[in-house]
Amino acid sequence: MPETLRHILASESPQSAITVRGWVRTKRESKSCAFLEVTDGSCFRGLQAVVDATLPSAALLSKVLTGASVEIVGDLIESPAAGQKWELQATELRLLGEADASYPLQKKGHTPEFLRTIAHLRPRTNLFSNVFRVRSRMAYAVHRFFQERGFFYVHTPIITSSDCEGAGELFRVTTLKQGSPEKPEEDFFGQPTYLTVSGQLQGETFACALGNIYTFGPTFRAENSNTARHAAEFWMIEPEMAFCDLFADMTMAEEQVKYLVDAMLTECPEELEFFNKFVDKELVNRLKQTLEKPFERISYTDAVDLLLKSGKSFEHPVVWGEGLQTEHERYIAEEHVKGPVTIYNYPKSIKPFYMRQNDDGKTVAAMDLLVPGIGEIIGGSQREERLDVLRAAMGHHGLSEEDYSWYVDLRRYGSVPHAGYGLGFERLLMFVTGVSNIRDVIPFARTPGHAAY
Ligand code: 4AD
Ligand code: MG
């Protein structure tokens, strides 16, 4: 493999006869030569190639336009130009693929909204190439975090017959013809099936065998909320830990967020500099502050109290027993705590069946981690490990024990206290890049009314 620009630009000394392959960002021409800014996607920076008009292959220059792909052989020399250490003195230019004047990325400065309409080309822009390099490095850091701690990576199913969250946000999976009578027994799997909303329930079976496990995969929600933080297809990271309670779960979540923020600060410096300059001027400060202190922890009941006492008029009233709205979450994280905060012990009536009931009979051992600018990035809980209490909760939620007998078995045979959480990978990426719309941190966004590509 020839070296990528990432390596070439980090060169310590001049090099002769190297080959650079990439796409032309810009071309400037003078009488005696042309300057081609070439990028190959391996890093944010490009390399300026100087093509002398006397070169035989300079004849190609009239066809080398913005967006074209080229291969340039030449010598890497110290650049006399300001702001760049190296430039390439071309000895040969080859045009691999032309791009004509209809290429949509002729100039800089397109809005993210416009670029969403050309999701197949936007990874070539500064903003999106930075976002997607970070996405890849963060995914690797997620695996590293768990693997360093001895967690096993489990692949939970994408097609499932259970609804983990019980929120009725399932996409149906079927081979039945549209309009044919509803006969699940004649369907492909012989029963109704859906795209998973969470790998948690299946993850629990593996935690109750291997100890500490995690999943990291796509999840799907037919949630009809067209917000900047919701996608119908998103990636979730779900650790599940045997012999673990709610507080150890919160600690783990905090450690993980800090680890990933630290990875952003240390492993993505070029991208971070770009985001801090062009996307969110407070980003680096906010990320550094995230590492400084322990995350605050506030019980749901205390959170309701402080919202009521805040003197703020919220659009949605604050009522004990109801879910916290984004405006409430953001007030707590941004104005009250001014940093990440974990809210725990939520009313049981608003939470799924699997969460462990607290002794007060009214709340469950749930936790949400909220961060400034976004709100919830993690939702988790200690799971109900007591057979009788779980059965009662299932009855209460109208779940048939037959359908979930495998899940109940975990409480029948060697039940252990266990806990876990789900970290929304795109929400994490929004937090570490400052990018404010979830559609801009996922390669091909799926949102209500949109599933292009
Ligand atoms: O809070 P949620 O719904 O929790 C669960 O699904 C649990 N089963 C997780 C567990 O305990 N193993 O979702 C977890 C996280 C949220 O905090 C959020 O970051 C993200 O997943 N999330 C979404 N991200 C983008 N678009 C959506 N529609 C999302 N819904 C949830
Ligand atoms: Mg949640």
Side-chain angles (χ1 to χ4, degrees), residues 164-165 169 197-201 215 219-221 223 225 229-240 249 351-352 354-355 367-369 376-381 383 419-428 438:
C164 177
E165 295 305 292
E169 294 166 345
V197 296
S198 158
Q200 177 199 320
L201 302 186
T215 74
T219 47
F220 307 86
R221 296 196 185 180
E223 202 167 7
S225 39
R229 308 175 312 127
H230 289 90
E233 177 177 308
F234 61 98
W235 283 60
M236 218 204 291
I237 296 144
E238 296 185 273
E240 192 68 34
D249 196 36
K351 290 292 184 187
Y354 56 72
M355 294 188 177
M367 62 102 169
D368 278 0
L369 177 64
E376 177 189 342
I377 64 166
I378 285 181
S381 66
R383 321 306 187 188
Y421 58 84
L423 165 60
F425 188 46
E426 286 74 20
R427 299 229 180 132
L428 170 84
I438 197 165

Side-chain angles (χ1 to χ4, degrees), residues 146-147 149-156 202-215 239-243 410 414 416 418:
F146 287 122
Q147 298 285 336
R149 285 160 182 73
F151 282 58
F152 296 104
Y153 182 28
V154 174
H155 300 102
T156 50
Q202 295 91 346
E204 283 183 52
T205 69
F206 274 77
C208 294
L210 305 186
N212 292 335
I213 65 97
Y214 68 104
T215 74
E240 192 68 34
M241 296 160 283
F243 314 103
L410 302 178
V416 292
H418 61 289

Side-chain angles (χ1 to χ4, degrees), residues 12 27 51 56 123 167 174 176 216 241 269 274 320 356 381 419 441:
E12 297 276 308
K27 177 173 77 168
V51 183
T174 178
L176 292 176
F216 183 6
M241 296 160 283
F274 174 88
W320 197 101
R356 191 178 197 279
S381 66
V441 295

